[in-house]
Amino acid sequence: RPLLARRPLLLAGLAMVGGRAAWAEQEAAPPQTVAVYGDSMAQGVGHMLDQSLQRDRRFRVVNRGKPATALGQPGNHNWIEAVRASVRQDRPGYSVMMFGGNDRLAMRRGGNTPHIPFRSEAWVELYRERLDAMLAPLAEAQVRIVWVGYPIAREPRYSGDMAFLNDIYRQAMQARGQVFIDTWTMFADEQGRFVPERRTPQGRVTRLRTEDGIHLTAAGYDMVAQRVKTTIEEMHAARTPAPVAAPAEG
């Protein structure tokens, strides 16, 4: 047969070989580490994210969440040092962060300095400093950040405090070109009120919140983890380099 007649077959064969080579390269590529940082809420989301990604060879989850910890209370657990150590040890490509539930406390700059009241201007300034310091090693390593905002809670004052902190996190992510996932409406009704459960299209009621009105059930954590999973998959598919972040302006 003339060469021109065989050209479509040759091109098809080459395309098939190229496709197989790309698939083999993807299979051989080491998985990207997704490191999870934060309090008990982060730990719960990380656990369900790990379950969801177990069969996906592109990722592995390292859950560094630690209950009863806060960015603003380094004496209990120093998250600035913990994240820096994790970047060295885990070498993450992506990070998932969720803080706030234990940050509603006064802070000190160190030693016996006076306590700085929560929500005060000086408190926000110090908190942003610590937030910048925690995010710095991620920016240096060009790690993508997915920040998960706290959801609405049953108690109005607690919810107000979480909304206040979410604004700080959202602004920090916007300044860095990173992602903030707003979970507020996921756990609220059309009027913006706290709801502890959801009814599925099949009519089955699923409990999403625990009795304390703050934490999530396994179903609630899974709902958030699916949002995180989709976000990471989209970021991975885009394969754009992470921006070098500048500190958020206060």
Side-chain angles (χ1 to χ4, degrees), residues 4 18 119 131 185 238:
L4 288 177
R119 279 184 177 257
L131 179 58
T185 57

Side-chain angles (χ1 to χ4, degrees), residues 15-29 57:
M16 185 177 295
V17 170
R20 286 175 180 169
W23 179 83
E25 183 180 351
Q26 182 177 354
E27 286 292 300
R57 296 183 181 180

Side-chain angles (χ1 to χ4, degrees), residues 32-33 87 91-95 135-145 176 178 235 239-245:
Q32 288 277 300
T33 297
V87 169
R91 298 185 179 277
Y94 303 91
S95 63
L135 297 176
L138 298 172
E140 291 165 8
Q142 295 193 333
V143 180
R144 287 290 194 180
I145 304 170
R176 290 164 170 78
Q178 302 290 357
M235 294 164 76
R239 296 182 184 278
T240 53
V244 177

Side-chain angles (χ1 to χ4, degrees), residues 29-250:
Q32 288 277 300
T33 297
V34 180
V36 180
Y37 309 116
D39 53 26
S40 57
M41 293 281 272
Q43 190 177 53
V45 171
H47 175 73
M48 298 309 295
L49 183 64
D50 185 32
Q51 295 290 312
S52 183
L53 290 174
Q54 274 189 350
R55 295 184 180 180
D56 193 330
R57 296 183 181 180
R58 296 173 298 173
F59 308 104
R60 75 178 186 106
V61 176
V62 176
N63 195 344
R64 299 296 182 193
K66 191 173 180 62
T69 61
L71 174 59
Q73 305 298 320
N76 184 21
H77 184 73
N78 192 326
W79 274 108
I80 296 171
E81 293 302 320
V83 170
R84 188 172 296 279
S86 172
V87 169
R88 289 195 305 265
Q89 177 182 340
D90 303 321
R91 298 185 179 277
Y94 303 91
S95 63
V96 178
M97 315 193 89
M98 191 174 188
F99 288 85
N102 304 307
D103 276 297
R104 305 159 68 228
L105 300 172
M107 289 191 294
R108 283 178 168 172
R109 282 199 172 270
N112 293 321
T113 57
H115 281 95
I116 303 173
F118 176 56
R119 279 184 177 257
S120 67
E121 192 173 323
W123 189 97
V124 173
E125 180 182 359
L126 177 56
Y127 194 75
R128 282 181 170 154
E129 287 177 15
R130 290 180 177 173
L131 179 58
D132 288 344
M134 181 177 68
L135 297 176
L138 298 172
E140 291 165 8
Q142 295 193 333
V143 180
R144 287 290 194 180
I145 304 170
V146 178
W147 194 291
V148 182
Y150 249 67
I152 187 173
R154 182 170 55 211
E155 202 272 308
R157 183 175 177 182
Y158 188 95
S159 287
D161 289 341
M162 292 306 101
F164 172 79
L165 291 167
N166 280 343
D167 282 343
I168 294 175
Y169 308 140
R170 184 185 289 105
Q171 291 166 15
M173 293 304 103
Q174 288 173 347
R176 290 164 170 78
Q178 302 290 357
V179 177
F180 178 87
I181 294 180
D182 192 337
T183 66
W184 201 267
T185 57
M186 295 172 66
F187 299 93
D189 62 15
E190 293 179 356
Q191 288 73 44
R193 297 172 300 193
F194 170 85
V195 290
E197 56 195 23
R198 290 279 191 196
R199 187 175 295 276
T200 66
Q202 295 75 29
R204 182 177 143 207
V205 175
T206 302
R207 186 96 182 163
L208 301 176
R209 309 299 289 266
T210 59
E211 292 300 323
D212 65 6
I214 297 173
H215 289 86
L216 311 181
T217 63
Y221 283 124
D222 185 58
M223 192 162 70
V224 176
Q226 292 306 315
R227 282 278 301 275
V228 174
K229 176 177 177 285
T230 299
T231 301
I232 290 175
E233 287 173 339
E234 290 172 351
M235 294 164 76
H236 190 73
R239 296 182 184 278
T240 53
V244 177
E249 294 183 0

